[in-house]
Amino acid sequence: MAKLATAAEEYGRQALAEFAAEDSPRWTAYSIELLGLTAHEQGRPDQARDCYMQAIEIYQQVSHRDEERVRGRLPSFR
């Protein structure tokens, strides 16, 4: 399972780099969000929260629906 999580994180970082280079904020935010999910599943809640907060900052500019969805993940970190 750890091998799959590592691969997921690697692919997530690759997607993040590509979408950021293409100046695609929504897909950049989604990639960051997925990295947060991966971190959460790997037992790294601080990193997951940081990713969610970064994604929220971007989503505020492009998609309030996505912003609210990610905000819904935050109560589990309090």
Side-chain angles (χ1 to χ4, degrees), residues 56-67:
I56 287 168
E57 281 186 43
I58 297 168
Y59 280 141
Q60 286 175 335
Q61 305 302 313
V62 296
S63 173
H64 294 293
R65 182 182 61 186
D66 289 327
E67 173 193 352

Side-chain angles (χ1 to χ4, degrees), residues 26-27 29-34 37 52 55-56 59 62-77:
R26 188 169 192 176
W27 286 106
Y30 188 64
S31 297
I32 294 169
E33 179 186 350
L34 293 180
L37 284 170
Y52 293 150
I56 287 168
Y59 280 141
V62 296
S63 173
H64 294 293
R65 182 182 61 186
D66 289 327
E67 173 193 352
E68 290 303 313
R69 179 176 39 77
V70 177
R71 281 191 188 281
R73 298 182 193 281
L74 293 177
S76 65
F77 292 96

